[in-house]
Each structure stands twice: as structure tokens, then as C-alpha cells.
Amino acid sequence: MRKKNRNILILLGSRREDGNSTRLAYTLADAASRTGAAVQSIRVPALEIAPCDGCGDCWRQPTEPCVLHDDMDSVYPLLRAADVLVFATPLHFYTWSAPLKTLIDRLYCLTPTQRRNLKGKRTVLLATAADDRPAAFAGVRSTFRLVAGFMGWKSTGEILVPGVEAPGDIARTRRFLVQAEALGTRLH
């Protein structure tokens, strides 16, 4: 029996179209595509996404994932169809970028207790930071692991790249790009 090719959804959190976290994600995406995976990416900052207001209506109305209607309406089906979710973000004050955090908050309506949920998805965290200390990633790593655990996701990998501030700095971090390529080939 032939193995099913994976659907990979990459959520790009950088406002820079060619930022360091985006380039890292594209390295992973190219490798995954070469192995037969179907890869789609979304530039989250380009979307109009209202923040979750915690109303809880998503738990009372099973006919739709969220009562707020904005660009998340087109993202929910992509999230559900994906086998692998890749979160790519620059570090902003030691955590996700604001646009990516807003999207993640809107996943509240897809928690494991809901009929429509994202349980069992494989996930990847890709993060870059100007700060050159590996400890700078403690906040985003902890948050990612807590969210993944709560949502019932299986972490497939984390690549955390310190010391990349200027656009294009990621190109001089060959070791991390090689890691992203290797991870991408394992996602198929």
C-alpha cells in the first residue's frame, strides 16, 4: 500500500515577505515538496483576523467554528485539511508575532472537546530572533508546547535560530537551513 502524501500548512507570522523566519519556512517547504508533500503557506499578517473575544459561542453553536466572520473563515478548512501545521515566526518580545498569536487564539473553537477539532495534527515550530541567546526562545517554546499539548498535537520538531536580525541574515546560518531541509524531508 502506498503511503499518503502529507498536506502541510505553513503559517507565516512575519510581516516581512522575505524575512528570516519566512526564508527558514520556505527551505522546509521546498524540501517537503520534493518528497511529494502538498505544501501551502499563508502570510498571516496579510489577513484580517479579529481577536478572539472569549464569548464561548463557538462551543454552543456547533454549526460553525466561530461566530466572528473574517479571513479565518477561509483558514479553518485549511487547518482541518492539513496533516502538518508549521508555525513560523520571528520572536517579538520573546514570543509569537502578534498576527500569529491572534490566529492561534482563534483556534479556541477547535479544541479537542469540540466535534470539529485539530487533535492528532503534527506540528513544527520555526522561530528566528535578533537576540543571540538560545534562552530567548524559552517563552515561545513553552507556549508552543503548552498549546500543542492542550490541542492534542504531536510535535515533529523545533528549529530556533538566534542572532538573525537584518533581512537575509538567515542565509549565513547554514546549519539551521540544513536542519530545516532535513525536517522538511521527514514530513512527507
Side-chain angles (χ1 to χ4, degrees), residues 39-187:
V39 181
Q40 183 172 1
S41 62
I42 297 173
R43 286 197 60 250
V44 178
L47 302 176
E48 293 291 328
I49 301 174
C52 176
D53 60 13
C55 69
D57 284 349
C58 57
W59 288 32
R60 290 186 285 280
Q61 297 181 19
T63 58
E64 55 185 317
C66 183
V67 297
L68 300 176
H69 295 288
D70 53 22
D71 287 344
M72 280 301 291
D73 290 343
S74 63
V75 175
Y76 288 127
L78 299 175
L79 291 163
R80 287 194 299 273
D83 300 302
V84 180
L85 303 175
V86 178
F87 297 88
T89 186
L91 217 59
H92 287 185
F93 250 92
Y94 305 101
T95 192
W96 321 93
S97 67
L100 190 55
K101 173 68 167 95
T102 301
L103 182 144
I104 291 166
D105 287 349
R106 291 284 297 278
L107 300 182
Y108 179 68
C109 62
L110 299 174
T111 61
T113 59
Q114 299 303 302
R115 185 180 47 145
R116 278 185 308 269
N117 63 63
L118 301 177
K119 192 172 183 180
K121 303 284 184 190
R122 293 170 60 197
T123 57
V124 172
L125 173 63
L126 305 176
T128 58
D131 195 314
D132 61 0
R133 300 169 300 156
F137 294 99
V140 73
R141 174 184 263 166
S142 177
T143 302
F144 172 73
R145 290 176 177 177
L146 287 166
V147 169
F150 175 73
M151 295 294 284
W153 297 338
K154 299 172 185 141
S155 180
T156 303
E158 298 175 2
I159 301 175
L160 311 173
V161 186
V164 290
E165 181 173 8
D169 276 356
I170 193 77
R172 65 176 171 71
T173 65
R174 183 78 188 128
R175 171 174 65 111
F176 294 107
L177 294 173
V178 168
Q179 287 177 16
E181 192 167 344
L183 181 54
T185 61
R186 291 194 314 267
L187 293 179

